[in-house]
Amino acid sequence: MDHIYALAASLFFLNRWNEIRPLQERDRQMARTFALRIIAGQKSNGAWGYKGVVMSPDQEAKLLASLQDGTFKATGTGTYTISNTQFAMLALWGARKHGVPVRDPLLAA
């Protein structure tokens, strides 16, 4: 899954489910993966287009490390949409509950 709408909607669901009943660790990992795919798709202007980025576990770990140490910089290029950006921002806001540092991507937006 690599489309921002689908990733964000899935995160909305997982974030809501977590409020009712805490997610199991494998589901928390899935939420983190979805959030990282969204973050990796952020454009250098802070907005999002239609695509996220599917990454290997090593790439996810590197992205997570850059978010944790404050060195993350969005580098994506291409077109963007306001609606995808809104979906991405709302989904990432909720993803912080799953251990994803979202401050830098949200401030860039």
Side-chain angles (χ1 to χ4, degrees), residues 11 29 31-43 48 53 55 57-75 88 92-93 95-96 98-109:
L11 271 175
Q29 180 57 48
R32 285 190 292 268
T33 292
F34 291 169
L36 292 171
R37 287 178 182 184
I38 291 171
I39 292 168
Q42 190 174 27
K43 310 295 181 195
W48 279 270
V53 177
M55 297 172 286
D58 287 341
Q59 291 170 315
E60 284 186 14
K62 287 178 185 175
L63 176 56
L64 187 58
S66 74
L67 291 163
Q68 290 168 334
D69 65 20
T71 60
F72 170 77
K73 298 286 183 230
T75 59
L92 291 179
W93 179 253
R96 71 194 192 289
H98 307 298
V100 180
V102 298
R103 179 174 168 46
D104 290 342
L106 289 177
L107 286 175

Side-chain angles (χ1 to χ4, degrees), residues 20-41:
I20 297 166
R21 178 185 65 129
L23 295 178
Q24 294 178 5
E25 183 52 36
R26 69 174 188 236
D27 295 329
R28 287 175 54 81
Q29 180 57 48
M30 182 173 46
R32 285 190 292 268
T33 292
F34 291 169
L36 292 171
R37 287 178 182 184
I38 291 171
I39 292 168

